[in-house]
Amino acid sequence: MFDFALNVLPFARFQFAMTTIFHYFFIPMSIGIGLSVCIMETMYAITKNKIYQTMTKFWGRIFLIAFAVGVVTGIIQEFQFGMNWSQYARFMGDIFGAPLAIEALLAFFLESTFLGVWMFTWDKFKPAWHALMIWLVFLASTASAFWILTANSFMQHPVGYKLASSGHVEMTSFKALLTNEQLWYEFPHVISSCIVTGSFVVAGTSAWMIFRKQSVAFFRKSMRLGLVLGIVGCLGAVTSGDLQSGYLIKDQPMKFAASEGIYNHTENPAPWSVFQLTNTKSHKEYGKIEIPYMLSFLSYHKFSGSVAGMDEANRALHKQYDGKFGKDMDYSLNVNVLFFAFRLMAAGFGGLTFIALLGLWFSRRKKNSIVKQKWLTFILFLATFAPFVINTGGWLFTELGRNPWVVYGLLPIKDAVSPSTSTTSVIFTIVVYFLLFVTLASCMVFYAKKSLYKGPESIDKTIDYDNDDPFSKEAFNK
């Protein structure tokens, strides 16, 4: 009825970013909290300590809320895919079909089945067998992420395909999809980020309850488990991210150069910019703060070697693709977004590791003073939200760095949008989806907060959740 005479592509891209980022809040959180719950129930199965059973049930509630919202947001994301990106679906259907079918029919089916068994069989199985159910849920969730990333890795680095006469890609080797080098750099990095997200939700919200002096012993134990897992996740994310950066230099040099804000070939050895603002029109940098030798070390793990800039990468891309996509193809990237997204990830994982170590130090058994460290418990609470910001930065870095393609070197973004979709319909659905997301987020925060504030006493009132040791000095002085 109405036609605003606007290009549909930027609105479709905005809607894709909005739905994916919101969906991506809940998937890492549910996988990460799922691992925490697995460990808690395993501890109960081994020690028969009732507090671990209470921890499993308590954090299991938060896990179930995150899982449910993640499923709903995934359905919304699929709907916008079908509405706005039909050309992309036609082009990629033969590649996407197998991984996504396995993800939905096998991984998600197993995940949902074992989750249902876990929820309703607390009194039916022995502790070890019941713990096995939640481990199977976690493994199925991880398998689900693997198949999604298999499809995404093809978009970053197409392998095992041929171009059909219709212009679409056809799979020639399923094995090539599974052995895609991009997948084996991306998968451990994403799973590590999931562990960071879930563990800091457990640790951060526990710190908040310690700040409120409610069920301190219970939340101290939960916080320490979350912090240990958080450190493991941060180390995994940094290590896998470093390996992925080395791969990126060879596979997508334009993305790597943009993440470092480099237009010209660097000197040897190359300095690393901690901070800079880049004028993308004049190709000039402002306010640059550099560390000598560091870019060479980060790129090649040695203090020598230069790095190609965006101008050189741009010439190489034109030379490779002008025959197919024309000389007017614009390969430039949003340098400032990629530059700061990359540093957000690096600084974020480093900062979380540092405050996790502080939290473990002040909550250690022999000199536990975490209740007195109000400043630290408040910072740990704020750290609850940090992984979501870091994950969003990582997603923007990965996806914006592929510009101008939706499938690298094969399909430009402008050719992937649905020809029949109107700007009006996309704007309308953006508003509808946004209201849905606000409603879902409000419901989740409400129920998660309600569950958190009820405390472990809502599950088992027979345990004193304010003392680790009933014979401790604190117990007698209470």
Side-chain angles (χ1 to χ4, degrees):
M1 183 188 301
F2 301 102
D3 184 3
F4 295 108
L6 297 172
N7 188 347
V8 70
L9 183 58
F11 293 97
R13 293 188 71 184
F14 176 80
Q15 185 177 94
F16 176 79
M18 182 181 74
T19 55
T20 304
I21 288 172
F22 193 78
H23 179 58
Y24 200 49
F25 284 163
F26 299 99
I27 302 307
M29 180 164 62
S30 61
I31 292 176
I33 296 178
L35 179 61
S36 298
V37 173
C38 288
I39 294 172
M40 290 168 187
E41 188 161 12
T42 302
M43 293 296 292
Y44 170 64
I46 294 172
T47 65
K48 302 297 186 294
N49 186 336
K50 291 283 285 185
I51 196 169
Y52 289 115
Q53 186 187 46
T54 308
M55 286 170 67
T56 304
K57 291 183 177 180
F58 181 83
W59 293 108
R61 288 177 179 174
I62 309 291
F63 165 69
L64 289 173
I65 295 171
F67 180 85
V69 178
V71 171
V72 175
T73 54
I75 293 170
I76 295 171
Q77 194 191 24
E78 287 188 11
F79 186 76
Q80 69 84 31
F81 247 127
M83 189 182 83
N84 297 340
W85 303 99
S86 63
Q87 293 294 79
Y88 164 78
R90 290 191 183 94
F91 183 82
M92 279 285 291
D94 195 62
I95 302 292
F96 259 27
L100 296 190
I102 296 171
E103 189 271 334
L105 298 177
L106 181 63
F108 186 67
F109 176 78
L110 291 175
E111 186 181 0
S112 305
T113 301
F114 288 118
L115 184 60
V117 173
W118 181 76
M119 287 169 60
F120 298 108
T121 58
W122 277 99
D123 300 323
K124 306 294 182 185
F125 291 127
K126 290 182 178 179
W129 285 106
H130 195 262
L132 177 63
M133 296 301 113
I134 192 66
W135 274 108
L136 290 173
V137 172
F138 171 72
L139 292 175
S141 302
T142 307
S144 180
F146 176 83
W147 293 113
I148 296 291
L149 292 174
T150 300
N152 181 267
S153 295
F154 182 89
M155 294 162 63
Q156 299 286 346
H157 181 77
V159 291
Y161 74 94
K162 68 175 183 179
L163 280 173
S165 57
S166 60
H168 306 147
V169 286
E170 288 183 356
M171 187 192 302
T172 57
S173 171
F174 187 63
K175 181 183 176 183
L177 293 186
L178 299 182
T179 56
N180 190 343
E181 202 173 355
Q182 169 72 27
L183 172 64
W184 292 102
Y185 286 113
E186 198 170 324
F187 178 64
H189 190 60
V190 169
I191 293 302
S192 297
S193 301
C194 293
I195 295 172
V196 173
T197 306
S199 59
F200 271 92
V201 167
V202 173
T205 51
S206 296
W208 176 246
M209 298 306 287
I210 294 171
F211 183 88
R212 288 166 49 88
K213 296 184 178 178
Q214 181 179 336
S215 308
V216 171
F218 175 86
F219 285 111
R220 170 184 166 275
K221 197 176 280 290
S222 298
M223 184 192 75
R224 285 182 63 82
L225 187 145
L227 293 179
V228 171
L229 270 180
I231 291 173
V232 172
C234 285
L235 293 177
V238 170
T239 304
S240 56
D242 176 62
L243 294 173
Q244 197 170 2
S245 292
Y247 172 72
L248 207 59
I249 295 172
K250 297 179 292 181
D251 192 57
Q252 294 184 23
M254 176 64 95
K255 183 193 287 187
F256 183 82
S259 72
E260 297 302 333
I262 304 167
Y263 278 99
N264 301 311
H265 207 95
T266 68
E267 57 193 66
N268 183 6
W272 184 65
S273 291
V274 179
F275 177 87
Q276 72 176 46
L277 293 174
T278 305
N279 185 322
T280 54
K281 290 184 179 177
S282 63
H283 293 192
K284 290 184 178 178
E285 303 92 23
Y286 301 93
K288 184 182 285 190
I289 301 173
E290 292 183 327
I291 301 176
Y293 298 92
M294 189 54 72
L295 181 56
S296 295
F297 182 76
L298 292 174
S299 303
Y300 309 115
H301 297 161
K302 59 182 183 180
F303 291 105
S304 63
S306 58
V307 177
M310 284 179 277
D311 289 344
E312 186 176 340
N314 190 49
R315 286 193 293 273
L317 287 167
H318 274 290
K319 183 179 180 181
Q320 186 175 356
Y321 294 111
D322 275 0
K324 184 176 181 181
F325 297 106
K327 296 180 179 178
D328 295 332
M329 189 73 141
D330 182 9
Y331 297 105
S332 61
L333 301 176
N334 194 325
V335 178
N336 287 312
V337 171
L338 266 64
F339 180 89
F340 287 108
F342 184 80
R343 278 143 190 81
L344 176 67
M345 286 188 284
F349 289 128
L352 288 176
T353 302
F354 179 69
I355 62 171
L357 289 171
L358 283 179
L360 289 172
W361 175 259
F362 283 108
S363 62
R364 66 195 191 279
R365 181 178 287 273
K366 291 184 178 178
K367 291 188 178 180
N368 176 21
S369 62
I370 191 67
V371 178
K372 297 177 183 175
Q373 315 301 329
K374 287 277 188 182
W375 61 274
L376 180 57
T377 49
F378 188 71
I379 290 174
L380 282 166
F381 166 65
L382 294 179
T384 305
F385 308 100
F388 299 97
V389 178
I390 295 170
N391 291 343
T392 301
W395 183 82
L396 289 172
F397 175 82
T398 302
E399 301 305 314
L400 289 178
R402 198 175 54 225
N403 197 62
W405 290 298
V406 65
V407 182
Y408 197 88
L410 295 177
L411 181 66
I413 297 172
K414 62 182 176 60
D415 294 338
V417 72
S418 302
S420 59
T421 299
S422 68
T423 306
T424 308
S425 64
V426 178
I427 293 175
F428 175 76
T429 48
I430 285 174
V431 174
V432 172
Y433 293 158
F434 179 77
L435 293 175
L436 271 173
F437 290 154
V438 170
T439 305
L440 284 169
S442 301
C443 290
M444 175 168 177
V445 170
F446 174 78
Y447 284 110
K449 182 182 174 185
K450 188 176 179 181
S451 178
L452 191 68
Y453 279 25
K454 281 183 177 178
E457 293 81 2
S458 64
I459 295 172
D460 189 346
K461 297 179 180 178
T462 63
I463 304 175
D464 181 1
Y465 295 103
D466 283 324
N467 280 299
D468 284 321
D469 181 358
F471 302 105
S472 65
K473 187 192 304 181
E474 291 79 8
F476 283 106
N477 292 336
K478 186 178 178 182

